[in-house]
Amino acid sequence: DVKVTQSSRYLVKRTGEKVFLECVQDMDHENMFWYRQDPGLGLRLIYFSYDVKMKEKGDIPEGYSVSREKKERFSLILESASTNQTSMYLCASTQGRGRTDTQYFGPGTRLTVL
Amino acid sequence: GNSVTQMEGPVTLSEEAFLTINCTYTATGYPSLFWYVQYPGEGLQLLLKATKADDKGSNKGFEATYRKETTSFHLEKGSVQVSDSAVYFCALWAGGGADGLTFGKGTHLIIQP
């Protein structure tokens, strides 16, 4: 079974702090994604990566950056956390880039910024 | 651009009732279609998928048929259980690049005993 893990289930930070959210997958997948989930808005893509050290902006990249130094790990960075970044963050991975490939999700990190 | 529209709910049903959650999409190209389920406090799990027209995805008693002519992928189950209470997301992926899934806003399903 594919396993995608995220470093924290719940996180509380203060405005202005630098925040790191970590995601690790164990299936040697090429592609990894970060989404945020908000009530009434569904899931929105923040960033994705299709290879080590490669990254592409998704629909809502403002206020975020990412890092992918190793194939299995994809980090989401909030350079200076703000209250409007309070949300559920979901990481996903997939092997291929074809439309038949399935994305596998981690359990999510619920981030609260005070 | 791509988009997915689904009924938002909450949808409240009694146990053993018939379930339909509507999902329609617009997409450039020829997407694959997915239903994901999110149980309380958990991440998303793939429920079923279909990759070409007239394909039927099925899992755990749920079914959905890829209808290209009506651009729809409605989720159905003949007899729901309390354990089916969750949020259900319809999604599409057009491929051609790892640019992520396009999700609907989710449908909160509540099953009462």
Side-chain angles (χ1 to χ4, degrees):
Chain A
D1 275 357
V2 176
K3 190 156 186 178
V4 181
T5 58
Q6 296 183 227
S7 51
S8 305
R9 293 298 300 273
Y10 300 93
L11 207 54
V12 179
K13 296 292 182 181
R14 297 204 175 274
T15 302
E17 281 193 78
K18 190 168 185 176
V19 181
F20 293 86
L21 303 182
E22 304 286 337
C23 174
V24 177
Q25 49 92 4
D26 68 354
M27 286 301 293
D28 203 35
H29 281 178
E30 300 287 333
N31 308 289
M32 298 186 74
F33 307 81
W34 276 106
Y35 297 86
R36 66 176 280 176
Q37 180 183 8
D38 300 288
L41 297 176
L43 279 79
R44 294 176 291 167
L45 182 66
I46 305 171
Y47 267 96
F48 63 94
S49 167
Y50 53 85
D51 202 352
V52 174
K53 296 193 186 295
M54 305 300 289
K55 60 186 179 184
E56 295 286 345
K57 293 180 180 179
D59 299 320
I60 51 164
E62 296 79 18
Y64 303 94
S65 62
V66 290
S67 171
R68 192 159 180 211
E69 297 296 321
K70 293 185 178 181
K71 191 174 185 181
E72 67 271 19
R73 187 180 298 269
F74 192 34
S75 302
L76 180 69
I77 304 158
L78 286 66
E79 296 289 343
S80 177
S82 63
T83 54
N84 63 11
Q85 292 178 309
T86 291
S87 186
M88 169 74 96
Y89 291 88
L90 292 163
C91 175
S93 73
T94 185
Q95 174 55 39
R97 302 173 68 182
R99 60 179 188 78
T100 60
D101 287 287
T102 297
Q103 289 196 15
Y104 296 91
F105 284 81
T109 296
R110 186 167 294 282
L111 172 67
T112 302
V113 182
L114 301 175
Chain B
N2 301 328
S3 68
V4 174
T5 303
Q6 63 180 108
M7 51 199 299
E8 291 186 33
V11 173
T12 303
L13 295 173
S14 297
E15 204 165 21
E16 299 183 1
F18 184 86
L19 168 71
T20 300
I21 300 178
N22 291 336
C23 171
T24 58
Y25 68 91
T26 57
T28 54
Y30 194 8
S32 290
L33 301 172
F34 303 82
W35 277 100
Y36 281 86
V37 59
Q38 185 177 37
Y39 297 103
E42 298 185 11
L44 271 68
Q45 301 175 24
L46 178 67
L47 182 59
L48 54 85
K49 72 177 186 180
T51 59
K52 60 183 187 295
D54 300 323
D55 260 4
K56 178 186 283 188
S58 61
N59 186 26
K60 299 182 180 179
F62 291 90
E63 293 182 341
T65 300
Y66 188 163
R67 301 286 187 201
K68 194 168 188 287
E69 64 275 14
T70 55
T71 61
S72 65
F73 193 53
H74 304 320
L75 183 68
E76 296 182 336
K77 187 175 184 182
S79 176
V80 292
Q81 306 300 313
V82 171
S83 57
D84 294 326
S85 298
V87 180
Y88 292 81
F89 291 92
C90 185
L92 71 84
W93 193 6
D99 54 352
L101 289 161
T102 300
F103 283 90
K105 293 183 179 180
T107 301
H108 186 195
L109 176 64
I110 301 168
I111 307 300
Q112 296 178 333

